Amino acid sequence: MKTFMKNKKRVIIPALLILIAFISIFFRLRLHNNAKGLADGYYMDVETGTPYLTEMDSYYHLRMTRDISENGHPGNTEKDGEHWDSMSYAPDGRDVATYRPLLAYIAIGVHRIASLFGDITLEQVAYWLNMFLSALVIIPIFLLTSKMCGILGGIVAAVLSTLNYGYFIHTIPGFYDTDGVIAWVSCLFFYFAINFVNSIEEKKRNRIILNGAGLAASFWMLYSSWYVYYMFAVIFVVALVAFTIFRHKDDGARRPLYPLYMAGVIILLIFLLEPNLIGRISHLLKNVFVRKGSLFPSVFVSIAEMRTPSLWAGGLSGLFQMKVLTDKNIGIINGVGGIVPFLAAFVMCGLFVRKAIKREAEIQHFLLIIWLAVTLFLAFKGWRFIMLFALPVSILAGNLTGWICSLMDKRKMMDRTVYKAMLILLMLFPSLYGVFRSSKDSVPSANSQMGQVMSAIRENTPEDTILISWWDYGYFFEEKAQRRALFDGGSQSDSRSYWVAKALASSDEKLSANIFRMLSGSGDKACDRMLEVFGENENTLILMENTLSTDKEYAGTLLAQAGADDETRSELLDLLFPENLPTINCIIPPEMSRISRWFATFGKQMGSDTFDDTEYSVALDRLIMTSPKDGTNVYKTNYGFNLIINKSGDSYEAFTSQSVEKSSQPLPITGVIVINSKGYTASRNNESTDSDKTLGWTVIIEDTGSQSIISLVTNRMADSTFGKMFYCHGIGLSDFTYEPELSNTVQVFKLGSDE
């Protein structure tokens, strides 16, 4: 009978895993099939035959994967014996020797195998890979949970682990990022770590060797998958220490100390791999968790995935169904599969704590307690960490399910099969319903218009051209235009964020142009040297701003007045005003207005209220409306106010109101800018004052004939370099020249020399 049941499990368990994997892939494939804009080709990349990738970092990993495939290492070149990426962090490039290549290795292996059966491109593999990798997490989750509490608990844990919202959105088609491997590799590491300790406890040599080999292999995979891989190893070390203190066997004999020896070996290994581990952790904590107190703002506050989540979103219904993919407010409970598995995890964790206090807990119990606590802390610090928190929640919820089912069996409850089914459905329904709703909409990070502009730049600009935009687009530019980017996800240094933001937010075009020239010619060297010479304080940044607002000759006078000697002054001028610059193009995508408030936030001295993001706001953004006629024109905006434009010939006045009367104005409009076939005209409201001009709003009308594109932005936004490029197509700028042959809705501006 035992042999029959054992053989039966050998068939049932693989069949269950295959079924769960199929469900995991099905929902992700459904999202792809239902994604908007794919059928009409708007989000299709004609060069690769796939839609554009869903997340901008994916393009960095794609480029590193291609480099590894072609060169044998990440980066497109070598510098001083180090692997080097000359495309990122222009103009210098950056060291990529520490790039974690596991995702690339898997993609390359899959691509080479798939190429044996057809003409498959690396881009196609990258687009689809994570959808299949997402199912691998169910293997260690199921094996670990089912061993602890039975098959039913393993099923619940496996389904929750792959279909929780946090993991789901990071493994959809087109999301070619390391999230797809971090989850299952970390679970694999913990699975072998637990089995290795238990094998030693059971004194079974063959299992010790097998699980030891698995532990070593999974640790290498973990090391190769994520740059914060050591977090999981440290969690295991803490579990080993706790296991030693609260031994589950306390018979008066001397307690074995091998868990402490294991912990010591792991810590030693981590420090050998990461000699500057303390410094790295300190820098990471500063960037992720410290929002204030440094000279430069933290760019992490602008990253959507690093925003602090709420406990749950969507009111009462949000507790029982996850939010759809496009929802901008995700809660922790929504992200792990709803309130039922969330509470179940903490109930089971409480039972494990009780076991630990009674000295009945095993290594897996300590590991799950610590794993849950650490990832819960991280989950409250940023959206992206909800995915990590969902993993121990899944295992613990599965354990509670298995524990309750075993109680039903022990008490021989009537109709317990029905109750078990109801319990499993209660655990899984929010997650399944949530991914079903999430499978309605997915928007790639780029579109055909951006692709066409990148192709035009690749074909019509010199190879050493530097492209400038906000960091969100940098990786895409490097991959599709094959040109260097000044600002991308890998060059989010404090000073670079500050200077790029200041250049875009400033109304001083000369300052903006000289900032971009400085960064394109000498990178961060000018700022670093200025801070070294004059001190790391705001006064130094103000001095830099004053020098960059003028010409090189007068800048030398300002530096001399600040106390720089002749040699230092000459060195600084060469860095501030570099010569022999490459071609510099500023790229302004149509979605860039959504992030424009960050330009003011990052482009200010800390402690100064010179700029305020509320003064760089947009109320109406490029709405297509009927062109204003002579007389009064009332436009309903659906934003809580009406826009009233009075036109008399080439003269305009504008107001906002709930009605036609001027008496109730929620927004003080001080002027109107009109761009039409006659050129560029600016009108001032008769009743506006000089103070209103600073604090008020500007209406921008792009009159194309029968229709107009109308925007309503703050005066600071309208006067900024970015505002003049984005809304006025460069009219009023002299250093930045609009390049219509390279542009469509994505605007390209060439930065001229300073001569």
Side-chain angles (χ1 to χ4, degrees), residues 95-134:
D95 180 8
V96 288
T98 58
Y99 178 75
R100 305 301 179 185
L102 181 61
L103 181 64
Y105 289 160
I106 295 173
I108 292 169
V110 171
H111 176 238
R112 291 178 179 175
I113 294 173
S115 296
L116 298 175
F117 303 94
D119 186 15
I120 306 297
T121 66
L122 188 62
E123 290 80 4
Q124 290 172 323
V125 171
Y127 184 84
W128 295 107
L129 183 63
N130 264 343
M131 181 180 74
F132 294 98
L133 292 182
S134 67

Side-chain angles (χ1 to χ4, degrees), residues 143-150 194 352 364-365 368 395 399:
L143 294 177
L144 175 60
T145 310
S146 61
K147 188 174 182 179
M148 294 177 68
C149 65
I194 290 170
F352 286 166
Q364 55 265 35
H365 302 139
L368 284 166
I395 298 173
N399 267 271

Side-chain angles (χ1 to χ4, degrees), residues 42 140 171 437 440 569 643:
Y42 183 70
T171 51
R437 290 197 62 199
K440 293 181 179 180
R569 185 169 68 252
L643 175 63

